[in-house]
Amino acid sequence: MKLNHRATLSILALAVASSVCSIGLAGLQLKPQRAAADVVINTAIVAELNGVHDSLKDIPPSMQNGVLARHGVSSEQALDDSLEAQRSHLTQAEQARAQELQGSDKRSTLLLVLSLFNACATVLSAISLYEAYRAIRRRSTP
């Protein structure tokens, strides 16, 4: 077997392996992203608690207990504690989302590199097959 044929077969074998990896990575990219929902939910909760906290400053003291009770808190201190706890949950959810996005970006980059390699391997194989075809035709014509 000629060196040119061995090189072509090696490139094709690598292209097959990278195609299999590309399929696996594409499947991982389609996996649902769960951290996004936590960020949205915790953002809504923090926004509501911030609104209640800010509105308590404008409400007369006689009505504050009713507003606090409607939102499930017994005192302004309990509201502050709940707000801080929700902020920490939001921070954790944002960090989880950032890690999820970073992993997705890495997989996307790898998928792009593998796809480019497959395209190059396809072009090189087509050129090699065309050259082999031309060589056979040259030998067969007198």
Side-chain angles (χ1 to χ4, degrees):
M1 187 180 281
K2 292 182 181 179
L3 181 62
N4 187 20
H5 294 147
R6 287 183 186 177
T8 302
L9 289 176
S10 298
I11 290 172
L12 286 173
L14 287 173
V16 168
S18 67
S19 293
V20 170
C21 291
S22 296
I23 292 168
L25 282 174
L28 287 176
Q29 287 298 89
L30 297 175
K31 184 176 75 170
Q33 298 181 359
R34 302 191 190 287
D38 289 339
V39 171
V40 171
I41 291 168
N42 285 319
T43 300
I45 293 171
V46 168
E48 181 181 348
L49 290 176
N50 271 332
V52 171
H53 186 268
D54 291 344
S55 68
L56 282 178
K57 296 174 188 169
D58 298 329
I59 295 176
S62 60
M63 296 178 67
Q64 286 181 359
N65 287 337
V67 171
L68 289 172
R70 206 170 338 161
H71 290 283
V73 241
S74 59
S75 67
E76 203 170 332
Q77 182 61 41
L79 177 67
D80 290 340
D81 294 342
S82 177
L83 183 58
E84 284 304 313
Q86 287 301 323
R87 284 180 180 158
S88 70
H89 289 304
L90 177 60
T91 302
Q92 291 170 356
E94 286 173 340
Q95 289 172 349
R97 177 71 175 146
Q99 289 175 349
E100 194 175 69
L101 288 173
Q102 187 178 26
S104 178
D105 287 347
K106 287 179 182 178
R107 287 189 303 270
S108 294
T109 302
L110 186 57
L111 189 58
L112 182 62
V113 168
L114 289 173
S115 297
L116 287 173
F117 174 76
N118 284 336
C120 291
T122 302
V123 169
L124 288 173
S125 299
I127 291 170
S128 177
L129 287 173
Y130 179 71
E131 287 178 358
Y133 170 75
R134 281 184 48 200
I136 291 172
R137 290 230 23 194
R138 273 189 245 143
R139 277 187 257 147
S140 67
T141 56

